[in-house]
Amino acid sequence: MRVSVIGAGLGGLALAQGLRGAGIEAEVFERDPGIVARFQGYRLVLNPIGFQAVRDCLPTRWHPLLDEIVMEASAEQLILDPQLNEIGKLGAGRTGIVVDRQMLRHLLLTGLTVHTDAALTGYDLLADGKVEARFAHRDPAIADLLVGADGVTSAVRGVLSPQTVPTDTGVRFVIGRTPLTDEFASLSKAYGSKIAGDGVSLLLGAMCFRTPPKQAAEQLAPEVTLPDIGDYVRWAMILPPNGSLEDLTAQDAVLSRMEGWHPELRALIEQADLGNSALLSIRVVKPGARWASGPVTLLGDAIHATSPTGGNGANTALRDADLLRRCLIQADEGRQDLLAAVDDYERQMFEYGAEAVRSSLEKLPAFAPEAKLS
């Protein structure tokens, strides 16, 4: 069996790793000109399902390395004012495994065949049941299954399910990170909480590695190369829907809304890694009607993009990868045919994927009351 995976995000790479471990050929095609063309290094909180999914997709020999570059986290989820005084509670406390997306992505990339500058332009279903993917700058690729793991603007979804389109909530947010130094030790009570300002919400989260990732890889899995990165604070400011940013940089857009805030909060933004800050929009993709069964399917944000306020986007994509991996192994071993395996995956994925989008939108008004949720 041969599988073509479109998109080198966490879900697509986890699937490819899982298939590789089962002896199934998988190639990844990424539209970016290089594998590190964009910064993708913010912390994620994985729930038990998401963390187990990524472990199951990775070779067991890398599990000790994975365990060494994550951290356990718990947060009270308080509501604080700009002077860091407690003024309420956001909800029940949250626990999970914190992982750096850039580290996890590099681990998942190890040993895979990944073709960059491979923007999909379309695909054709062939008479023998296979599927041929067409690209702008490379030769076509033929596979038994084509998996669209290419994000909110999925080119695969555009052909497979053109009626399924992203919904823009109108909410914008700025995300960045700042090296974690002793200067910011007193901010720890704000991790996992919401700092409520005038029409904005600031969210902080720490990423503290048990062992520096580069050193951990050298000691535990020499075939894996991880970036040399230290502990940091990830911060994100959710802005009013459709608010004017007045052509400000991402950093200045945040600081302009922090007049009179606690000096350590302002210092956190002032000392941010400027190249690692970005202004993003919150768009969701709600799974609609099922498409006709065939050798093409979708995974992750391509079919169920969630609001980041739900904390379930990466978890759901990794769950997809592990579920599809298990279904395809059954097909490869002859326990069911390929289309039945894909149908089994899609039936389950549509159900929990739709719930992930719904629950993420349910939490959005707590951070952006004017968001458009219809």
Side-chain angles (χ1 to χ4, degrees):
M1 182 189 300
R2 173 178 290 183
V3 178
S4 292
V5 179
I6 309 301
L10 296 184
L13 293 175
L15 172 64
Q17 274 290 355
L19 296 178
R20 173 175 175 260
I24 298 173
E25 185 177 355
E27 289 186 293
V28 180
F29 299 87
E30 169 57 48
R31 63 181 170 232
D32 282 351
I35 204 63
V36 292
R38 293 179 291 121
F39 178 75
Q40 301 185 44
Y42 302 111
R43 75 193 283 276
L44 300 167
V45 180
L46 299 182
N47 61 29
I49 293 176
F51 189 59
Q52 189 60 50
V54 76
R55 287 178 70 86
D56 289 347
C57 288
L58 286 170
T60 56
R61 67 181 182 278
W62 292 348
H63 288 181
L65 173 58
L66 177 65
D67 291 339
E68 199 62 28
I69 59 173
V70 301
M71 62 178 284
E72 294 184 9
S74 62
E76 292 187 75
Q77 291 199 297
L78 305 173
I79 302 176
L80 308 174
D81 69 15
Q83 299 304 322
L84 299 177
N85 300 306
E86 182 179 342
I87 57 176
K89 292 189 181 296
L90 191 58
R94 186 182 180 199
T95 60
I97 298 295
V98 181
V99 61
D100 177 75
R101 189 183 190 280
Q102 184 183 21
M103 293 302 115
L104 183 56
R105 189 164 182 255
H106 273 79
L107 180 58
L108 289 168
L109 281 163
T110 304
L112 294 182
T113 300
V114 180
H115 306 281
T116 56
D117 197 22
L120 185 89
T121 58
Y123 62 81
D124 297 301
L125 302 181
L126 304 181
D128 60 0
K130 297 182 186 294
V131 57
E132 181 179 70
R134 291 178 275 106
F135 303 93
H137 304 298
R138 60 168 291 112
D139 293 337
I142 297 176
D144 298 285
L145 179 68
L146 177 69
V147 180
D150 47 345
V152 175
T153 59
S154 172
V156 178
R157 188 191 65 235
V159 180
L160 179 63
S161 183
Q163 73 278 9
T164 305
V165 296
T167 298
D168 192 337
T169 65
V171 180
R172 304 292 180 264
F173 69 104
V174 181
I175 189 167
R177 71 182 200 183
T178 303
L180 180 55
T181 63
D182 292 341
E183 179 181 355
F184 303 120
S186 64
L187 294 180
S188 59
K189 73 175 183 179
Y191 298 155
S193 298
K194 178 180 83 168
I195 303 165
D198 183 14
V200 300
S201 297
L202 181 66
L203 312 175
L204 307 182
M207 182 71 244
C208 301
F209 301 102
R210 292 170 178 166
T211 300
K214 186 174 186 295
Q215 177 184 331
E218 291 170 350
Q219 294 174 348
L220 297 172
E223 72 273 25
V224 178
T225 301
L226 296 182
D228 190 7
I229 182 176
D231 298 345
Y232 64 87
V233 178
R234 188 271 300 134
W235 50 264
M237 178 173 278
I238 300 179
L239 305 171
N242 299 317
S244 171
L245 295 178
E246 303 158 352
D247 297 322
L248 297 174
T249 65
Q251 184 186 41
D252 287 342
V254 174
L255 289 172
S256 69
R257 290 163 171 83
M258 296 179 67
E259 187 76 29
W261 284 42
H262 193 289
E264 287 188 17
L265 290 173
R266 288 187 57 86
L268 184 75
I269 308 304
E270 290 168 348
Q271 296 179 33
D273 295 333
L274 295 184
N276 300 338
S277 303
L279 172 68
L280 303 170
S281 61
I282 295 181
R283 293 175 291 171
V284 300
V285 176
K286 301 177 182 179
R290 287 274 302 275
W291 46 80
S293 182
V296 182
T297 194
L298 299 173
L299 176 156
D301 284 356
I303 184 58
H304 47 60
T306 66
S307 166
T309 51
N312 55 11
N315 285 292
T316 311
L318 292 170
R319 182 177 181 178
D320 289 351
D322 187 43
L323 173 61
L324 184 54
R325 172 190 71 89
R326 287 186 278 112
C327 290
L328 293 181
I329 288 173
Q330 287 194 347
D332 189 58
E333 294 176 347
R335 287 182 277 165
Q336 62 177 330
D337 66 45
L338 176 60
L339 295 188
V342 173
D343 181 74
D344 188 24
Y345 158 72
E346 290 177 350
R347 177 178 50 78
Q348 297 180 62
M349 177 271 288
F350 262 70
E351 183 175 349
Y352 66 71
E355 173 58 23
V357 177
R358 187 203 63 77
S359 63
S360 76
L361 288 175
E362 187 178 65
K363 295 179 174 67
L364 184 56
F367 302 92
E370 300 175 27
K372 296 178 294 187
L373 304 183
S374 58

